[in-house]
Amino acid sequence: MPAIIPIPAFRDNYIWALREGGVAAVVDPGDATPVLAWLDANRVALSAIIATHHHADHVGGIERLRARFDVPVFGPAREAIPARTCALAENDRFDVPGIRLALRVLDIPGHTAGHIACFAGGADPLVFCGDTLFAAGCGRLFEGTPAQMSMSLAKLAALAPATRVYCGHEYTLANLRFARAVEPDSDALVARESRERAKREQGLPTLPSTIGEELATNPFLRAGLPHVMASASRHAGRVITDAVDAFAVLRDWKNTF
């Protein structure tokens, strides 16, 4: 299993570097500058680029990276990804060049229409999920519907609880504040917020989380629970009995929280 290193970019993005020996692949390089600086500082050669979706803060650095490193670019088949050489869709499997890691693909539309996740199972499972699932949150619905996003989150929630979740942004503390508004009596949320705040105070990322931790504390994965639907009902001022409807209310609530 390669080492997985966060390369901070912009205000709150993470570009994930998968390093093994003297080579590394990167996931969602929205900016080439911090990637090139990290590669040079560590004397590492780039072996591949993986993109989860087309937003500029995830793909904006690809062409500059490829100008220096002639490497394959893996990305979603249903989106326009700069310099993509390998189009990926549900159930595709690929070996990360130069890295002893095989990844499988899930189609997870909602945030964007063709968004994908790449995951590995086995004894040390992990998933790169871009901006669909965040630590204690989920992405905005720019191109999809609540039903699509709910189904996409359900796919991710069905991965093994130990699966490490590598998402695209450091949004965790803000997401936890919202989660506590939805579930104010949750001891698990109080404990998680304390842990994650301590990490940030030390300048550490809160990521990765795990699927198990998200199932216990992420309101968007818990929208079908009766007490979460009750919270959504109170916010909406109407009775909600459907999990997708509850999800839609939670997502709109978070947008203005």
Side-chain angles (χ1 to χ4, degrees):
M1 180 66 66
I4 302 177
I5 297 126
I7 301 174
F10 306 117
R11 186 177 67 179
D12 50 35
N13 282 68
Y14 288 126
I15 300 164
W16 296 104
L18 290 65
R19 180 181 181 178
E20 191 161 14
V23 298
V26 293
V27 179
D28 286 346
D31 185 359
T33 297
V35 176
L36 291 170
W38 181 84
L39 292 170
D40 290 342
N42 291 279
R43 299 182 181 180
V44 171
L46 188 66
S47 67
I49 296 167
I50 301 167
T52 62
H53 65 292
H54 69 82
H55 284 164
D57 64 321
H58 291 253
V59 301
I62 290 177
E63 291 181 316
R64 187 174 161 207
L65 289 172
R66 287 199 82 244
R68 178 167 164 188
F69 299 96
D70 184 15
V71 299
V73 176
F74 299 85
R78 295 190 294 127
E79 296 192 354
I81 303 298
R84 186 187 60 205
T85 61
C86 184
L88 300 172
E90 181 94 4
N91 290 324
D92 284 344
R93 179 190 180 280
F94 65 100
D95 295 317
V96 181
I99 307 293
R100 287 175 294 178
L101 181 67
L103 295 172
R104 290 184 60 190
V105 177
L106 294 174
D107 286 335
I108 50 169
H111 181 66
T112 65
H115 201 303
I116 62 170
C118 299
F119 76 97
D124 194 9
L126 58 86
V127 63
F128 298 100
C129 54
D131 287 359
T132 296
L133 176 64
F134 292 129
C138 75
R140 290 176 181 260
L141 277 62
F142 288 119
E143 300 174 11
T145 66
Q148 284 178 315
M149 191 63 144
S150 294
M151 186 175 296
S152 295
L153 291 173
K155 286 184 182 181
L156 295 171
L159 297 175
T163 303
R164 286 175 287 142
V165 176
Y166 294 92
C167 59
H169 292 270
E170 182 58 74
Y171 290 163
T172 309
L173 290 179
N175 287 341
L176 286 168
R177 285 193 293 273
F178 174 71
R180 290 189 64 189
V182 176
E183 297 188 74
D185 299 324
S186 170
D187 292 337
L189 280 171
V190 172
R192 185 175 184 187
E193 188 174 38
S194 177
R195 291 194 306 271
E196 307 298 17
R197 182 176 290 110
K199 293 176 188 175
R200 296 307 292 154
E201 287 173 353
Q202 297 174 59
L204 299 173
T206 60
L207 303 171
S209 67
T210 67
I211 291 296
E213 190 165 39
E214 296 311 313
L215 288 169
T217 55
N218 188 323
F220 298 102
L221 298 189
R222 297 165 61 81
L225 296 179
H227 71 281
V228 176
M229 283 198 284
S231 186
S233 297
R234 287 191 294 272
H235 179 78
R238 58 185 176 83
V239 176
I240 294 171
T241 59
D242 175 75
V244 173
D245 190 12
F247 170 83
V249 169
L250 293 175
R251 186 58 263 181
D252 287 343
W253 182 4
K254 177 65 167 64
N255 290 347
T256 58
F257 184 74

